[in-house]
Amino acid sequence: DTEVTQTPKHLVMGMTNKKSLKCEQHMGHRAMYWYKQKAKKPPELMFVYSYEKLSINESVPSRFSPECPNSSLLNLHLHALQPEDSALYLCASSPQEGGEKLFFGSGTQLSVL
Amino acid sequence: GENVEQHPSTLSVQEGDSAVIKCTYSDSASNYFPWYKQELGKGPQLIIDIRSNVGEKKDQRIAVTLNKTAKHFSLHITETQPEDSAVYFCAARYTGNQFYFGTGTSLTVIP
């Protein structure tokens, strides 16, 4: 299994809602990542988890809250988002942090109304 | 800080022709350069990569070349097919062990 699975594929939420994005991999990778991608732009790193501990937070606003319950799962909790947060949110994993092979999921297309 | 420039931003080629995308990086300590292909509605997929101790790498119709002195690397796709149509991103791994991505090239292969 060389897949990174993300759910849901699409999400529409209001600015007062709370929602969560989920990511799962069963490749035994010990590093997991959240990226944000705006249309026609490259992915931007948000968070890195290494061995289930938060390793990097790229100055992301606190309305985004990551969680790594175990080595296979990664969540991104969303609260009080702004319309400018609408984007494709990508999860990725690699064998180790900074590892050469980044495997991306298909992403969650988020729209904030 | 690290910067990766990518050109062109859009590229159209006839089926069967070659396509070349070029990237330039700024951090001389960068040592790993992957290329990703992103199809509509999907996440980026690694298609080929090269380490700094190698000048060229080939995998069937795709190849990557690296010029460390000039700090640039290129993706070459030969005998292009319509299914090669996608957005391509180059990336460079920098000293923090994370990646900077180029700005992307939208490739269209015209049948």
Side-chain angles (χ1 to χ4, degrees):
Chain A
D1 184 359
T2 57
E3 277 195 358
V4 175
T5 303
Q6 288 188 245
T7 55
K9 291 192 184 304
H10 302 275
L11 179 62
V12 179
M13 60 186 291
M15 289 189 283
T16 58
N17 292 157
K18 285 185 182 181
K19 296 286 185 184
S20 296
L21 310 185
K22 297 185 183 301
C23 174
E24 190 167 3
Q25 57 88 13
H26 296 288
M27 294 177 279
H29 289 175
R30 301 318 300 263
M32 297 186 77
Y33 310 76
W34 281 115
Y35 283 85
K36 174 182 178 180
Q37 186 178 29
K38 291 283 219 179
K40 302 186 186 300
K41 298 289 186 183
E44 297 175 4
L45 184 64
M46 300 174 71
F47 302 104
V48 180
Y49 272 83
S50 179
Y51 288 87
E52 299 152 56
K53 292 192 184 332
L54 185 63
S55 172
I56 292 176
N57 175 342
E58 291 285 354
S59 302
V60 179
S62 59
R63 58 186 183 268
F64 295 91
S65 175
E67 177 196 21
C68 190
N70 60 53
S71 60
S72 300
L73 293 174
L74 186 66
N75 298 321
L76 186 63
H77 302 296
L78 315 173
H79 174 54
L81 294 194
Q82 304 296 311
E84 59 264 30
D85 296 322
S86 298
L88 181 67
Y89 287 85
L90 293 162
C91 175
S93 71
S94 64
Q96 303 288 335
E97 183 179 352
E100 294 183 346
K101 307 293 184 186
L102 262 185
F103 289 79
F104 283 90
S106 290
T108 294
Q109 187 65 55
L110 174 68
S111 296
V112 181
L113 303 179
Chain B
E2 175 63 35
N3 185 43
V4 179
E5 294 186 4
Q6 183 172 345
H7 299 281
S9 56
T10 60
L11 180 60
S12 290
V13 299
Q14 290 292 138
E15 182 177 358
D17 287 351
S18 295
V20 180
I21 303 169
K22 298 182 179 180
C23 287
T24 305
Y25 61 98
S26 58
D27 184 353
S28 57
S30 294
N31 60 7
Y32 173 68
F33 308 92
W35 284 90
Y36 288 87
K37 174 184 182 182
Q38 187 171 20
E39 296 174 287
L40 200 61
K42 296 187 178 180
Q45 180 184 15
L46 179 69
I47 57 171
I48 196 166
D49 54 8
I50 192 167
R51 296 187 184 88
S52 57
N53 59 349
V54 175
E56 183 174 0
K57 184 176 177 181
K58 195 172 181 180
D59 183 3
Q60 299 182 353
R61 294 187 298 108
I62 59 173
V64 56
T65 58
L66 172 65
N67 183 325
K68 278 188 64 177
T69 304
K71 292 189 214 167
H72 63 71
F73 57 111
S74 300
L75 177 71
H76 304 254
I77 306 174
T78 59
E79 301 173 24
T80 52
Q81 300 168 3
E83 52 264 38
D84 294 329
S85 296
V87 178
Y88 291 81
F89 291 100
C90 63
R93 184 172 63 183
Y94 60 101
T95 50
N97 262 343
Q98 300 306 328
F99 293 92
Y100 273 111
F101 286 87
T103 47
T105 296
S106 178
L107 173 64
T108 302
V109 179
I110 304 164

